[in-house]
C-alpha cells in the first residue's frame, strides 16, 4: 500500500463546488436537481412496502419516522429558494391515494443534488492543480455513487491506480466536450 500525500484538497461540496473551482480555471457546469418530499409522523395508515403512483409520478415510502411522500424535482441553482407549491401538490396527490390518511401536519424537505449536464460526475485531480481533487456531480445517484467515488479518491490520494477508467469522469470533461 502506498503512502498518502500530505498536502491535498478534495472538493466534495454537494451542489456548490463550481464556485470553489472556477477561480482555478475549471468550468464545472453543475446545477441543482432539487428533490422534495413530505414526511408524516402520524399519518394514521401503515404501509409494508413502497407504493408508487405512476400517473402523478410520486411514491409513498414507509419509514421508521412515518410516511414519506416524494417524487418531484426541479432543475435550478442550488441557492434558489424552494418552490413549496411542489410540496402542496405531493400532499394533494397522497390525499387522493389515501383518503383516510392524516396528511395535514407533515414536515417538508427540499435538498439540492449536484447534477451534471451529461449525468457523469467529475472525479479526479484538477488540471494544472495535481494536489486538488474533485468528487462532484452525481445527481440522483449521490447516495449510491458517493461511496465508490470516495474509494476512488482515496486510492488516487494513496498513489494507487483505480480499477476503473477515469477518463469519462475527468474534471475537465465538460470543457473538452464544448
Amino acid at each position: 500500500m502506498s503512502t498518502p500525500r500530505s498536502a491535498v484538497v478534495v472538493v466534495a461540496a454537494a451542489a456548490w463546488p463550481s464556485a470553489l473551482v472556477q477561480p482555478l480555471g475549471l468550468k464545472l457546469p453543475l446545477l441543482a436537481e432539487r428533490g422534495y418530499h413530505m414526511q408524516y409522523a402520524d399519518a394514521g395508515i401503515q404501509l409494508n412496502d413502497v407504493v408508487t403512483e405512476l400517473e402523478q409520478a410520486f411514491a409513498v415510502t414507509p419509514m421508521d419516522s412515518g410516511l414519506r411522500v416524494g417524487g418531484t424535482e426541479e432543475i435550478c441553482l442550488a441557492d434558489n429558494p424552494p418552490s413549496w407549491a411542489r410540496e402542496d401538490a405531493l400532499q394533494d396527490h397522497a390525499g387522493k391515494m389515501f383518503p383516510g390518511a392524516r396528511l395535514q401536519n407533515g414536515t417538508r424537505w427540499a435538498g439540492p443534488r449536484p447534477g451534471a449536464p451529461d449525468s457523469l460526475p467529475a472525479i479526479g485531480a484538477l488540471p494544472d492543480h495535481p494536489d486538488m481533487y474533485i468528487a462532484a456531480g452525481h445527481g440522483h445517484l449521490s447516495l449510491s455513487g458517493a461511496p465508490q467515488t470516495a474509494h476512488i479518491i482515496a486510492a488516487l490520494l494513496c498513489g494507487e491506480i483505480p480499477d476503473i477508467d477515469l477518463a469519462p469522469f475527468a474534471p475537465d470533461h465538460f470543457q473538452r466536450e464544448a
Side-chain angles (χ1 to χ4, degrees):
M1 179 176 268
S2 303
T3 304
R5 295 165 147 176
S6 59
V8 297
V9 173
V10 177
V11 178
W16 292 273
S18 298
L20 297 172
V21 297
Q22 186 176 6
L24 301 173
L26 181 63
K27 180 182 178 190
L28 195 59
L30 299 182
L31 285 174
E33 297 177 20
R34 181 177 287 138
Y36 290 84
H37 73 246
M38 293 289 294
Q39 186 87 15
Y40 302 96
D42 184 23
I45 62 171
Q46 190 165 11
L47 301 177
N48 294 323
D49 292 300
V50 175
V51 177
T52 304
E53 209 293 342
L54 296 177
E55 280 188 37
Q56 299 299 325
F58 74 96
V60 182
T61 306
M63 310 287 286
D64 288 340
S65 56
L67 290 183
R68 179 172 292 170
V69 180
T72 181
E73 82 163 14
E74 67 182 325
I75 305 298
C76 60
L77 296 175
D79 292 323
N80 285 5
S83 301
W84 294 121
R86 294 171 176 275
E87 302 288 2
D88 297 337
L90 285 172
Q91 186 165 322
D92 290 345
H93 294 320
K96 291 174 185 167
M97 180 184 265
F98 301 107
R102 294 188 296 268
L103 303 178
Q104 296 76 26
N105 295 316
T107 56
R108 56 190 188 178
W109 174 89
R113 302 172 190 101
D118 61 1
S119 299
L120 294 176
I123 305 170
L126 272 62
D128 302 322
H129 299 279
D131 289 328
M132 180 171 266
Y133 291 76
I134 188 138
H138 294 81
H140 272 74
L141 301 177
S142 292
L143 288 177
S144 57
Q148 181 62 28
T149 296
H151 179 75
I152 292 168
I153 293 291
L156 291 171
L157 295 180
C158 290
E160 300 171 8
I161 298 173
D163 57 357
I164 182 174
D165 178 13
L166 291 178
F169 310 104
D172 64 347
H173 78 269
F174 303 104
Q175 292 157 313
R176 293 192 315 237
E177 293 172 3

